[in-house]
Amino acid sequence: MNFLTIDRQAGGQSGEISIGQAGKAVEIWTLVADHGGYSTEDIRLSGIFDGVYATFHAQNPRLRLMPVQVEQDEENPAIFIATLTWTSDKLDPKEKEEAESNPLNRKARITVKTSHLKEVKHIDAMGNEKVNAAGDLFDPPVENNATFLVITIIKNVTFFEDWVFDYSDAVNSLPFDIKGRTIAKGCAWIASIELGEENTDGPVAYCEARIEMHVKKKRQHRSGESPSAVPDPWLTEVLNEGLMQKKAGKRQRIKVKDDDGKLVNAPAPVPLNSDGTVMDPVTLSSLKYLVFHDHDELDFNAISLLWSDA
């Protein structure tokens, strides 16, 4: 269906002004088609006024679009008069059911659960050093269970832009909100993004989008460490240790004394200073850690439409 013009009629607006942004707005639109053989049902199928109950007035986000009234001119059937009404009134049960009958208008389904992984920490939750009775680090290091949140989002969409899949294996570069919770920078990692096969619900075609997001808290800061220096939880943080050291700008095998006082190659990794030299003496408060960036850092607010209620 082709329209030559779609205009608001001059003087065709009215409304009801209430406190705040509440009230009602009415606009009269004129639609001129390329011939008079169309019906009001053709206008509905054209999608010009798609989004009833789900879109809001451009100048007032409190006013929701209600069903559009369309009348065909008796003298010139190529002309249609459409009355658009926006209101701040809450939907009644029947209107709410009608609004949700369009699968694209349905809210995202969000579930939250906890899961766990194994990780190495040299300080426990009480701030105690994880060392043996002689004050040495364990080899291999002690692993413990660490819990994190798994947030699964399912949303009906028409399609994905290709760039949405770039968010798979990314962490959030900025804070964002989901289900009333603000996720701090660097705490969320998108484990998977899935776009299902095409479905239909009546005349509406849609696909089911699914995102699985893992959320971890930052660890507690160590003794002598500033809280602002704690790395984001999805960065890789490892103890600076090894079998080789840098000495006079050259890599050398680390030597230690055996039980007979003889120098031998270190049988296990030895803690290193920031310059790559052997740490001596070794204390837990002086241990150095290396931090690596293994994930893209992207703004999750750019895809928040997949879980927002708007």
Side-chain angles (χ1 to χ4, degrees):
M1 183 175 188
N2 296 317
F3 290 94
L4 302 179
T5 58
I6 301 177
D7 294 317
R8 296 176 180 85
Q9 283 188 353
Q13 296 191 41
S14 63
E16 178 184 287
I17 300 175
S18 186
I19 60 174
Q21 291 182 307
K24 182 170 68 174
V26 179
E27 294 182 358
I28 309 299
W29 289 21
T30 301
L31 291 72
V32 180
D34 54 354
H35 62 78
Y38 296 115
S39 67
T40 55
E41 184 65 11
D42 290 318
I43 292 180
R44 187 189 71 83
L45 295 174
S46 71
I48 295 175
F49 302 122
D50 200 12
V52 170
Y53 296 125
T55 58
F56 297 83
H57 197 283
Q59 294 178 294
N60 187 343
R62 285 284 299 276
L63 304 183
R64 182 192 303 269
L65 180 63
M66 305 304 288
V68 179
Q69 180 181 352
V70 180
E71 295 182 4
Q72 190 172 29
D73 190 283
E74 293 182 0
E75 297 182 359
N76 187 349
I79 296 177
F80 295 84
I81 306 300
T83 302
L84 281 68
T85 302
W86 290 266
T87 180
S88 60
D89 295 340
K90 292 184 177 180
L91 299 180
D92 61 35
K94 183 178 180 181
E95 289 171 334
K96 188 173 182 181
E97 180 181 354
E98 184 178 343
E100 293 180 349
S101 66
N102 184 335
L104 298 175
N105 293 341
R106 296 169 192 161
K107 292 183 179 180
R109 306 192 302 278
I110 301 175
T111 61
V112 182
K113 68 175 184 178
T114 58
S115 186
H116 73 278
L117 50 74
K118 294 286 188 179
E119 66 179 11
V120 174
K121 287 187 177 180
H122 298 287
I123 299 177
D124 67 15
M126 305 301 295
N128 299 315
E129 302 174 349
K130 288 187 176 181
V131 293
N132 62 22
D136 293 329
L137 292 170
F138 289 98
D139 184 24
V142 177
E143 289 187 327
N144 66 283
N145 291 319
T147 61
F148 60 93
L149 290 181
V150 178
I151 302 177
T152 302
I153 303 145
I154 301 174
K155 173 71 172 177
N156 295 333
V157 298
T158 51
F159 64 93
F160 266 165
E161 298 283 358
D162 286 342
W163 56 263
V164 174
F165 289 99
D166 293 340
Y167 280 77
S168 181
D169 197 38
V171 298
N172 60 311
S173 61
L174 292 170
F176 68 97
D177 295 329
I178 182 169
K179 208 171 179 62
R181 177 193 299 267
T182 298
I183 308 298
K185 170 188 173 296
C187 291
W189 170 62
I190 293 183
S192 67
I193 296 179
E194 177 184 346
L195 184 63
E197 63 183 10
E198 186 174 289
N199 292 304
T200 57
D201 192 336
V204 180
Y206 69 97
C207 298
E208 188 177 85
R210 180 187 294 264
I211 290 180
E212 184 174 305
M213 186 184 303
H214 296 180
V215 180
K216 289 202 299 186
K217 296 185 295 185
K218 280 191 174 185
R219 63 165 174 78
Q220 296 293 321
H221 64 280
R222 302 186 178 103
S223 176
E225 180 183 39
S226 169
S228 61
V230 176
D232 293 338
W234 291 105
L235 298 180
T236 302
E237 186 181 23
V238 295
L239 182 64
N240 186 20
E241 61 180 356
L243 297 173
M244 305 287 291
Q245 69 167 325
K246 279 187 178 179
K247 199 168 184 179
K250 296 182 179 180
R251 282 166 46 84
Q252 297 180 4
R253 192 72 160 81
I254 296 174
K255 301 287 186 179
V256 295
K257 289 183 179 180
D258 63 11
D259 294 338
D260 297 326
K262 182 180 178 182
L263 285 177
V264 296
N265 291 335
V270 176
L272 301 175
N273 296 308
S274 298
D275 61 0
T277 58
V278 171
M279 181 177 290
D280 187 21
V282 176
T283 61
L284 209 62
S285 60
S286 62
L287 291 176
K288 305 300 180 183
Y289 294 83
L290 303 174
V291 177
F292 299 96
H293 295 250
D294 293 318
H295 308 281
D296 290 333
E297 297 179 4
L298 300 174
D299 183 5
F300 286 13
N301 293 288
I303 58 171
S304 62
L305 58 92
L306 293 173
W307 54 78
S308 66
D309 293 336

